Amino acid sequence: WIGVNMNTKEDVQHRLELVTKKHKHQHEIVHALEAEKAPEKAIKSAKVLKLKLKDEMEYLGRLNFED
């Protein structure tokens, strides 16, 4: 999210929606990798990305814009 211009509440909301969709997709990827007994390195990498997306979701959710 570094470098992303988020000046308005709408910008933040749009970014939050996008990141939430990415997080859900990443969750599905992790699940599939685990089900397929993929190498632990691949699973770990997918989980790290999922956690980064979760962190961004939490950050965006805490932003407080005044109207």
Side-chain angles (χ1 to χ4, degrees), residues 1-36:
W1 69 86
I2 296 174
V4 175
N5 189 9
M6 294 186 294
N7 293 324
T8 66
K9 186 175 182 178
E10 290 78 21
D11 292 338
V12 173
Q13 185 62 34
H14 180 264
R15 180 71 183 165
L16 181 57
E17 290 170 6
L18 176 66
V19 174
T20 300
K21 287 178 186 177
K22 286 183 177 183
H23 181 266
K24 182 179 178 182
H25 180 71
Q26 194 64 26
H27 175 79
E28 294 168 359
I29 290 171
V30 169
H31 182 73
L33 289 171
E34 290 174 336
E36 294 176 8

